[in-house]
mmCIF file of all heavy atoms in Angstrom:
data_model
loop_
_atom_site.group_PDB
_atom_site.id
_atom_site.type_symbol
_atom_site.label_atom_id
_atom_site.label_comp_id
_atom_site.label_asym_id
_atom_site.label_seq_id
_atom_site.Cartn_x
_atom_site.Cartn_y
_atom_site.Cartn_z
ATOM 1 N N SER A 340 -10.016 -3.802 14.850
ATOM 2 C CA SER A 340 -8.824 -3.911 15.695
ATOM 3 C C SER A 340 -8.332 -2.546 16.114
ATOM 4 O O SER A 340 -7.870 -2.346 17.228
ATOM 5 C CB SER A 340 -7.720 -4.665 14.943
ATOM 6 O OG SER A 340 -8.119 -5.970 14.603
ATOM 7 N N GLU A 341 -8.435 -1.567 15.203
ATOM 8 C CA GLU A 341 -7.985 -0.209 15.523
ATOM 9 C C GLU A 341 -8.809 0.404 16.640
ATOM 10 O O GLU A 341 -8.277 1.157 17.472
ATOM 11 C CB GLU A 341 -8.102 0.685 14.284
ATOM 12 C CG GLU A 341 -6.953 0.564 13.325
ATOM 13 C CD GLU A 341 -7.045 1.640 12.265
ATOM 14 O OE1 GLU A 341 -8.136 1.917 11.782
ATOM 15 O OE2 GLU A 341 -5.993 2.199 11.923
ATOM 16 N N SER A 342 -10.096 0.092 16.661
ATOM 17 C CA SER A 342 -10.984 0.694 17.653
ATOM 18 C C SER A 342 -10.901 -0.006 18.994
ATOM 19 O O SER A 342 -11.529 0.417 19.962
ATOM 20 C CB SER A 342 -12.431 0.658 17.153
ATOM 21 O OG SER A 342 -12.865 -0.673 16.966
ATOM 22 N N THR A 343 -10.133 -1.093 19.079
ATOM 23 C CA THR A 343 -9.989 -1.848 20.323
ATOM 24 C C THR A 343 -8.668 -1.502 20.970
ATOM 25 O O THR A 343 -7.616 -1.706 20.389
ATOM 26 C CB THR A 343 -10.052 -3.359 20.071
ATOM 27 O OG1 THR A 343 -11.283 -3.666 19.410
ATOM 28 C CG2 THR A 343 -9.974 -4.132 21.376
ATOM 29 N N ARG A 344 -8.704 -0.982 22.173
ATOM 30 C CA ARG A 344 -7.485 -0.633 22.869
ATOM 31 C C ARG A 344 -6.946 -1.848 23.610
ATOM 32 O O ARG A 344 -7.702 -2.609 24.213
ATOM 33 C CB ARG A 344 -7.733 0.505 23.867
ATOM 34 C CG ARG A 344 -8.096 1.811 23.174
ATOM 35 C CD ARG A 344 -6.929 2.311 22.337
ATOM 36 N NE ARG A 344 -7.266 3.496 21.576
ATOM 37 C CZ ARG A 344 -7.597 3.501 20.304
ATOM 38 N NH1 ARG A 344 -7.680 2.349 19.657
ATOM 39 N NH2 ARG A 344 -7.863 4.626 19.681
ATOM 40 N N VAL A 345 -5.664 -2.014 23.578
ATOM 41 C CA VAL A 345 -5.036 -3.169 24.201
ATOM 42 C C VAL A 345 -4.981 -2.974 25.708
ATOM 43 O O VAL A 345 -4.570 -1.917 26.202
ATOM 44 C CB VAL A 345 -3.611 -3.369 23.651
ATOM 45 C CG1 VAL A 345 -2.919 -4.518 24.372
ATOM 46 C CG2 VAL A 345 -3.661 -3.631 22.153
ATOM 47 N N GLU A 346 -5.411 -3.978 26.456
ATOM 48 C CA GLU A 346 -5.349 -3.939 27.918
ATOM 49 C C GLU A 346 -4.215 -4.836 28.378
ATOM 50 O O GLU A 346 -4.181 -6.033 28.095
ATOM 51 C CB GLU A 346 -6.661 -4.419 28.526
ATOM 52 C CG GLU A 346 -6.647 -4.394 30.057
ATOM 53 C CD GLU A 346 -7.968 -4.863 30.632
ATOM 54 O OE1 GLU A 346 -8.919 -5.044 29.862
ATOM 55 O OE2 GLU A 346 -8.032 -5.028 31.855
ATOM 56 N N ILE A 347 -3.249 -4.239 29.043
ATOM 57 C CA ILE A 347 -2.097 -5.002 29.505
ATOM 58 C C ILE A 347 -2.501 -5.863 30.688
ATOM 59 O O ILE A 347 -3.095 -5.373 31.656
ATOM 60 C CB ILE A 347 -0.946 -4.061 29.906
ATOM 61 C CG1 ILE A 347 -0.601 -3.152 28.729
ATOM 62 C CG2 ILE A 347 0.261 -4.858 30.346
ATOM 63 C CD1 ILE A 347 -0.233 -3.920 27.475
ATOM 64 N N CYS A 348 -2.213 -7.156 30.604
ATOM 65 C CA CYS A 348 -2.604 -8.075 31.662
ATOM 66 C C CYS A 348 -1.758 -7.842 32.902
ATOM 67 O O CYS A 348 -0.626 -7.359 32.817
ATOM 68 C CB CYS A 348 -2.445 -9.517 31.180
ATOM 69 S SG CYS A 348 -0.756 -9.964 30.747
ATOM 70 N N PRO A 349 -2.253 -8.168 34.079
ATOM 71 C CA PRO A 349 -1.486 -8.001 35.308
ATOM 72 C C PRO A 349 -0.329 -8.983 35.334
ATOM 73 O O PRO A 349 -0.255 -9.897 34.524
ATOM 74 C CB PRO A 349 -2.514 -8.326 36.403
ATOM 75 C CG PRO A 349 -3.512 -9.192 35.728
ATOM 76 C CD PRO A 349 -3.595 -8.708 34.309
ATOM 77 N N PRO A 350 0.613 -8.800 36.256
ATOM 78 C CA PRO A 350 1.745 -9.732 36.352
ATOM 79 C C PRO A 350 1.270 -11.173 36.506
ATOM 80 O O PRO A 350 0.249 -11.443 37.140
ATOM 81 C CB PRO A 350 2.492 -9.257 37.600
ATOM 82 C CG PRO A 350 2.126 -7.826 37.728
ATOM 83 C CD PRO A 350 0.717 -7.705 37.233
ATOM 84 N N ALA A 351 2.016 -12.085 35.923
ATOM 85 C CA ALA A 351 1.617 -13.490 35.905
ATOM 86 C C ALA A 351 2.103 -14.231 37.145
ATOM 87 O O ALA A 351 2.372 -15.420 37.084
ATOM 88 C CB ALA A 351 2.143 -14.162 34.635
ATOM 89 N N TYR A 352 2.215 -13.546 38.273
ATOM 90 C CA TYR A 352 2.658 -14.212 39.486
ATOM 91 C C TYR A 352 2.222 -13.382 40.694
ATOM 92 O O TYR A 352 1.869 -12.212 40.581
ATOM 93 C CB TYR A 352 4.179 -14.354 39.495
ATOM 94 C CG TYR A 352 4.915 -13.030 39.537
ATOM 95 C CD1 TYR A 352 5.371 -12.491 40.743
ATOM 96 C CD2 TYR A 352 5.144 -12.311 38.371
ATOM 97 C CE1 TYR A 352 6.031 -11.287 40.792
ATOM 98 C CE2 TYR A 352 5.811 -11.100 38.411
ATOM 99 C CZ TYR A 352 6.257 -10.594 39.623
ATOM 100 O OH TYR A 352 6.897 -9.399 39.658
#
Side-chain angles (χ1 to χ4, degrees):
S340 299
E341 278 189 319
S342 62
T343 303
R344 294 295 176 261
V345 176
E346 180 180 352
I347 304 303
C348 61
Y352 64 96

